[in-house]
Amino acid sequence: MLTHIATTPFGRRPMTLGQISSQVTARNVEQDAKVSKWQVFRDIRESKEALGATDRALAVLNALLTFHRDEELTGEGNLVVFPSNEQLIRRANGMPPTTLRRHIAVLVDCGLIIRRDSPNGKRFARKGLGGAIEQAYGFDLSPILARAEEFRELAGAVAAERKAFRLVKERLTICRRDVVKLIDAGINESVPGNWRGFLGRYEAIIARLPRTAPRQVLEGIASDLEDLWVDVHQTLETFVKSQNPDANESHSGRHIQNSNPDHNPIGESQDGSGNKVEAGRDAEHTDNVRSLPQRDLPLGMVLSACPEIANYTRGIQIRTWRDFAVAADRARPTIGVSPSAWQEAVEVMGSQNASITLASILQRAEHIRSCGGYLRDLTEKARAQKFSVWPMITALLNARVGALEKAAAGKGAEESPAELGDGSGVDAGSLDISDALRDSMKKKGW
């Protein structure tokens, strides 16, 4: 004769519809069902937030599973464990009795276990003549077996959501870094564009980012940042292509394949009556000019040719092209170059070549009637790819080499290097050109 199985809790504990649902689920478990109890426990642990379980409640569940002697939970075996409070507290790492009861109630509410209370509320098992358990009162683990597949799918969904959240955070972090650095590059390199608008859009997007946000919110913010990145990157890419279509990423200056030597500020008339200058060479030297190196000028070579630019460094030594560009921007107002003419030169030539051009004009400013007009003329030539900074610098170097040679020979003491525009505050030795460079320039007819 079978004993009636208890379905309600002992004492004042109420019965709920959730507990009835758990009992129905446990009663429908198949007889041949079999799962590893620790694998199911790992799935439950992964999906504890979705189930509503706490870490302390899972510690109690772990302790209850240890009282089930078999490694697997089967539909044919007895799934009721009946530890005493003392044993359960010991295996739950000394959890206080009140805390233990509270977390057992959490496990019941989550549908992970079912209470099988005896008439007096004690937990025990009644055995038959052969020693087999006929009736047990305690905690039924049948819901774990019945819902094992549900727990596995839920754990997979939680893992997928966790991965998606991690990926969107990585995407957001990379996008924020890219946008900020690209905007800084555009501003620092004087690239024409609506950088104030880009910065305002970035700040507005980031202002929507809360301290803790769900994945859906981060997805929306990341999408907006990616749209902003596309606009910023396209602005920079368009500018780079327009400035230097043949350059690779290792060169930032402008490469001009066809240079026109007919606009060289160094070869103009010495009486200062006009702005038109010659390249310093006749038509037969056109091939020599076009054979100039298609690469950036060395910074040291430019500083040797244009020592006047050192007067606008505010005591800071020019070590990089950025320092050189800052000095050129400071020198611009002193020779009457308007901001619009300078901005147009930077857009057409690039910051580096525009700075070299302005430094060359500064070096010969006393012989040029309108420096601003002359810079605009060179800008138009550069737009048509008929201008290069190489002839300008080599012509200046030729002039300085000749002056240094005359000074060394003792001819024309009044034309010493100190009187040829050396405002850098350094001695003449620092302006000397190496013998190899001088011989190379003479062979090419510079």
Side-chain angles (χ1 to χ4, degrees):
M1 179 178 179
L2 295 177
T3 305
H4 177 73
I5 299 177
T7 57
T8 58
F10 172 78
R12 298 180 180 180
R13 300 186 187 96
M15 187 66 183
T16 63
L17 293 178
Q19 295 175 10
I20 296 176
S21 176
S22 297
Q23 293 174 7
V24 172
T25 302
R27 190 163 52 246
N28 294 332
V29 65
E30 297 179 358
Q31 292 296 318
D32 58 348
K34 181 186 299 185
V35 294
S36 170
K37 63 180 181 182
W38 298 121
Q39 179 60 51
V40 179
F41 178 75
R42 283 191 290 270
D43 294 339
I44 294 173
R45 184 176 57 196
E46 290 296 323
S47 57
K48 64 178 182 179
E49 295 180 357
L51 294 172
T54 62
D55 53 348
R56 302 295 295 277
L58 293 185
V60 175
L61 179 60
N62 180 77
L64 289 174
L65 288 174
T66 62
F67 289 102
H68 185 269
R69 295 183 178 181
D70 297 333
E71 181 68 21
E72 295 180 337
L73 302 178
T74 61
E76 298 177 351
N78 179 36
L79 298 180
V80 178
V81 293
F82 41 90
S84 65
N85 285 339
E86 182 180 356
Q87 292 175 326
L88 190 55
I89 288 173
R90 186 180 298 113
R91 295 197 185 184
N93 303 320
M95 186 178 296
T98 54
T99 305
L100 179 68
R101 288 192 293 270
R102 185 169 67 252
H103 290 298
I104 289 176
V106 171
L107 294 176
V108 173
D109 293 338
C110 292
L112 297 176
I113 62 174
I114 298 174
R115 286 183 180 273
R116 301 296 186 187
D117 290 344
S118 64
N120 60 0
K122 301 294 184 179
R123 293 189 286 272
F124 63 92
R126 182 178 296 111
K127 298 182 180 181
L129 296 177
I133 296 178
E134 293 182 348
Q135 182 69 36
Y137 297 99
F139 303 107
D140 192 350
L141 304 178
S142 297
I144 297 178
L145 175 62
R147 301 175 61 187
E149 183 65 20
E150 175 190 347
F151 296 147
R152 187 182 66 81
E153 294 177 356
L154 191 58
V158 170
E161 177 66 20
R162 186 184 298 114
K163 180 180 179 180
F165 186 78
R166 184 176 66 254
L167 291 178
V168 73
K169 286 184 67 177
E170 293 176 358
R171 173 182 159 202
L172 179 63
T173 301
I174 293 175
C175 203
R176 288 182 65 179
R177 182 186 66 197
D178 288 352
V179 169
V180 170
K181 291 194 174 184
L182 288 178
I183 291 177
D184 288 343
I187 295 174
N188 293 335
E189 299 295 338
S190 301
V191 177
N194 186 17
W195 301 112
R196 187 182 299 275
F198 289 149
L199 189 59
R201 284 175 58 186
Y202 172 78
E203 293 175 348
I205 294 173
I206 295 303
R208 293 159 37 201
L209 184 63
R211 184 180 296 274
T212 56
R215 179 181 59 83
Q216 291 77 8
V217 174
L218 296 182
E219 289 278 359
I221 294 176
S223 297
D224 293 342
L225 279 177
E226 286 178 345
D227 293 340
L228 176 59
W229 177 87
V230 170
D231 295 340
V232 174
H233 189 268
Q234 185 175 8
T235 301
L236 293 174
E237 185 176 1
T238 302
F239 177 76
V240 170
K241 289 181 179 179
S242 66
Q243 291 296 302
N244 190 8
D246 298 326
N248 55 37
E249 63 181 3
S250 64
H251 293 80
S252 60
R254 181 174 178 153
H255 295 186
I256 302 177
Q257 300 297 329
N258 297 322
S259 303
N260 188 350
D262 294 334
H263 289 84
N264 192 330
I266 309 306
E268 63 176 350
S269 59
Q270 297 298 319
D271 56 3
S273 60
N275 292 329
K276 293 184 179 180
V277 295
E278 298 177 353
R281 302 296 170 198
D282 295 332
E284 60 267 19
H285 295 117
T286 299
D287 292 338
N288 287 337
V289 175
R290 291 189 176 181
S291 65
L292 290 171
Q294 298 302 312
R295 57 182 176 83
D296 294 341
L297 280 163
L299 179 59
M301 184 177 178
V302 177
L303 292 176
S304 296
C306 308
E308 285 291 335
I309 195 68
N311 292 330
Y312 300 90
T313 60
R314 297 182 180 178
I316 300 175
Q317 185 177 1
I318 297 178
R319 299 181 181 274
T320 64
W321 283 115
R322 179 168 295 183
D323 297 338
F324 186 82
V326 171
D329 187 64
R330 290 172 182 162
R332 174 191 57 78
T334 63
I335 57 176
V337 176
S338 64
S340 60
W342 175 241
Q343 180 65 25
E344 185 179 5
V346 171
E347 292 176 0
V348 174
M349 301 181 187
S351 177
Q352 180 173 319
N353 285 350
S355 300
I356 295 174
T357 303
L358 189 136
S360 301
I361 295 175
L362 173 66
Q363 191 66 27
R364 299 284 295 176
E366 59 182 5
H367 302 290
I368 303 174
R369 184 169 57 187
S370 174
C371 296
Y374 184 65
L375 179 62
R376 288 186 183 275
D377 184 48
L378 294 181
T379 301
E380 292 304 317
K381 293 296 182 181
R383 195 190 306 275
Q385 293 191 353
K386 296 181 179 180
F387 170 73
S388 172
V389 294
W390 274 91
M392 299 177 65
I393 296 302
T394 53
L396 281 171
L397 285 173
N398 277 332
R400 295 191 62 77
V401 167
L404 289 172
E405 289 179 348
K406 289 180 181 180
K411 298 179 181 180
E414 68 278 8
E415 296 180 359
S416 63
E419 297 176 355
L420 292 176
D422 183 7
S424 61
V426 297
D427 55 6
S430 63
L431 301 177
D432 290 340
I433 299 174
S434 66
D435 294 337
L437 178 59
R438 183 183 293 108
D439 294 339
S440 176
M441 291 170 61
K442 288 182 178 179
K443 289 180 181 179
K444 290 181 178 291
W446 294 349

